[in-house]
Amino acid sequence: MRSLIVIFAAMTALAEPHAFLGTSHARKSVYLRDSDGRIIWEYNVPNPQDAWLLDNGNILTTWRHGVKEIAPSKSVVWEFNVQPPNEVPTCQPLPDGNVLIGIVGECRLIEVNRANEILHEIKLQTTETNPHAQFRMCRKTKAGTYLVPFTAEGTVREYDRDGNCVRDYPALHSPVCAERLTNGNTIITGSGC
């Protein structure tokens, strides 16, 4: 898997327009690059995967066993952690201020508030027993469904709020992320894509 897991276009007080937010297993960090490719901000965290630039200028990122919100000053302003062998490859800031978190090992999606209270939970089923290979970057859609890329199984499934599978997408080698586009289509990334 490439060391650069995800890149999002970002514009913030930390960066000029056309900067990029990225994560790197090799660097063990989440970082911002300017339009010339120079790293202008970096925070060390083991095995980051999913990362978001928030409206307040903070960065929300996963790390092997949790999620952190990091201020530009590099202080951690919020954190949610799990115990090994569980891992956290997914986080998504939600419009209501809560955060969607995907936990492999326990194989579940949770929505938490900033007091770390679990407000909603969906238990998922997979044939994969190795936590690290279960799923990657899940997304909650505007319609309230959840897109889950089951990496080892090579499939993406969409679930409703009650955890019922409402759609199976065509097989894809090692899907990593599924995102609903504004036009209603779904983009899925995977190995070799």
Side-chain angles (χ1 to χ4, degrees), residues 16-165:
E16 62 187 69
H18 311 293
F20 292 93
L21 172 64
T23 65
S24 171
H25 280 211
R27 294 181 68 87
K28 296 183 176 151
S29 70
V30 58
Y31 57 86
L32 283 169
R33 289 186 184 268
D34 67 15
S35 58
D36 293 323
R38 293 180 301 244
I39 292 178
I40 56 173
W41 183 91
E42 187 169 25
Y43 182 85
N44 292 102
V45 61
N47 301 106
Q49 295 229 340
D50 216 350
W52 300 79
L53 181 62
L54 303 178
D55 290 340
N56 63 8
N58 292 348
I59 291 173
L60 185 72
T61 186
T62 60
W63 65 283
R64 178 171 282 183
H65 301 295
V67 178
K68 292 182 182 209
E69 181 179 341
I70 307 150
S73 65
K74 299 186 181 180
S75 61
V76 175
V77 297
W78 178 77
E79 193 167 7
F80 182 92
N81 296 309
V82 299
Q83 296 299 313
N86 298 312
E87 297 179 5
V88 179
T90 295
C91 67
Q92 179 187 6
L94 301 175
D96 58 8
N98 298 327
V99 178
L100 174 69
I101 298 172
I103 305 171
V104 294
E106 294 175 356
C107 204
R108 66 184 179 137
L109 299 177
I110 59 173
E111 292 181 28
V112 300
N113 61 21
R114 297 311 174 109
N116 286 341
E117 297 168 323
I118 297 173
L119 306 174
H120 187 68
E121 174 181 10
I122 295 178
K123 295 194 180 204
L124 303 169
Q125 298 294 321
T126 179
T127 57
E128 181 59 45
T129 57
N130 175 5
H132 188 72
Q134 288 177 337
F135 61 77
R136 282 293 177 271
M137 293 179 233
C138 308
R139 297 292 181 256
K140 185 175 184 179
T141 69
K142 286 185 179 179
T145 60
Y146 302 86
L147 297 167
V148 182
F150 288 97
T151 309
E153 284 188 54
T155 189
V156 174
R157 294 187 192 103
E158 186 168 353
Y159 294 88
D160 66 16
R161 184 159 178 81
D162 297 323
N164 301 306
C165 182

